[in-house]
């Protein structure tokens, strides 16, 4: 974290869009594998696979470390502050304020990703002073492209991002949402 980047609060809870985005807790460790140990999450995201309770502990520890460093926030997506249904991420990166998300397969089809992204984007605009937030998505990931569109993002005219992760090449498009 640079000296000009303010740290994130030790605790964050965002409410709106019919959701409560909250910090991950020790009590969530047993629920995380049901959310993240799926082929599509392994395919489309950098989340490790297989995702078991050990991976959950590692992710929780990493979330806390990244928060302390001031680079990234990982929050559980809930409807009432209780059981986690997925995750939304905000990362301060050289290319901008980036958001990301993953929703457990059992909880899809309810607009959770789009609503969580809108709520996290509002936080980025209001609390962090971001002028724009971005999503980096593979064009073939129809569910994520749909969530981005429903959240108000539009495809930006910037170079594609090519790379490889978990032995699989990828090409990412950048989607953006400007401060209202």
């Amino acid at each position: 974290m640079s000296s000009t980047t303010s740290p994130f609060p030790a605790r964050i809870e965002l409410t709106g869009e019919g959701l409560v985005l909250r910090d991950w807790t020790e009590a969530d460790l047993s629920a995380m594998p049901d959310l993240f140990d799926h082929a599509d999450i392994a395919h489309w995201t950098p989340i490790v696979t297989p995702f078991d309770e050990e991976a959950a502990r590692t992710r929780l520890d990493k979330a806390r470390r990244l928060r302390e460093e001031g680079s990234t926030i990982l929050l559980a997506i809930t409807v009432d502050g209780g059981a986690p249904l997925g995750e939304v991420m905000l990362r301060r990166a050289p290319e901008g304020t980036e958001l990301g998300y993953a929703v457990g397969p059992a909880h899809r089809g309810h607009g959770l990703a789009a609503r969580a992204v809108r709520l996290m984007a509002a936080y980025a605009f209001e609390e962090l002073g971001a002028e724009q937030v971005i999503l980096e998505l593979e064009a073939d990931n129809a569910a994520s492209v749909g969530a981005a569109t429903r959240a108000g993002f539009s495809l930006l005219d910037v170079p594609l991002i090519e790379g490889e992760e978990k032995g699989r090449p990828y090409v990412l498009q950048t989607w953006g949402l400007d401060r209202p």
Side-chain angles (χ1 to χ4, degrees):
M1 180 174 75
S2 75
S3 60
T4 61
T5 303
S6 63
F8 293 123
R11 183 177 178 282
I12 298 176
E13 183 173 287
L14 308 177
T15 304
E17 298 273 343
L19 300 176
V20 177
L21 306 181
R22 62 161 176 80
D23 293 317
W24 288 103
T25 69
E26 303 288 328
D28 297 320
L29 291 173
S30 63
M32 291 171 82
D34 285 340
L35 298 175
F36 301 134
D37 192 35
H38 291 274
D40 59 338
I41 289 180
H43 182 80
W44 296 116
T45 75
I47 294 174
V48 300
T49 189
F51 196 96
D52 54 16
E53 287 203 36
E54 182 179 336
R57 163 55 60 199
T58 300
R59 189 155 184 87
L60 179 61
D61 292 344
K62 181 179 181 180
R64 290 174 173 166
R65 187 183 76 252
L66 293 172
R67 166 87 60 88
E68 288 173 13
E69 292 171 0
S71 67
T72 305
I73 303 169
L74 298 171
L75 298 177
I77 300 170
T78 77
V79 294
D80 58 4
L85 310 174
E87 176 176 84
V88 64
M89 180 240 5
L90 179 148
R91 180 173 71 98
R92 292 172 167 153
E95 57 274 10
T97 302
E98 179 186 357
L99 304 181
Y101 47 87
V103 174
H107 309 291
R108 295 181 185 156
H110 304 285
L112 294 172
R115 291 186 287 149
V117 165
R118 282 193 301 263
L119 188 54
M120 189 67 100
Y123 174 81
F125 295 138
E126 295 164 14
E127 300 298 324
L128 305 179
E131 293 299 320
Q132 181 182 63
V133 292
I134 61 171
L135 298 168
E136 295 175 344
L137 310 172
E138 291 186 63
D140 292 345
N141 188 342
S144 281
V145 169
T149 302
R150 285 188 301 280
F153 284 70
S154 58
L155 186 59
L156 300 178
D157 186 18
V158 298
L160 297 173
I161 302 164
E162 296 183 44
E164 183 175 317
E165 190 157 48
K166 297 190 237 180
R168 185 180 79 81
Y170 63 80
V171 178
L172 301 175
Q173 299 175 322
T174 303
W175 292 70
L177 179 67
D178 293 332
R179 174 191 286 273

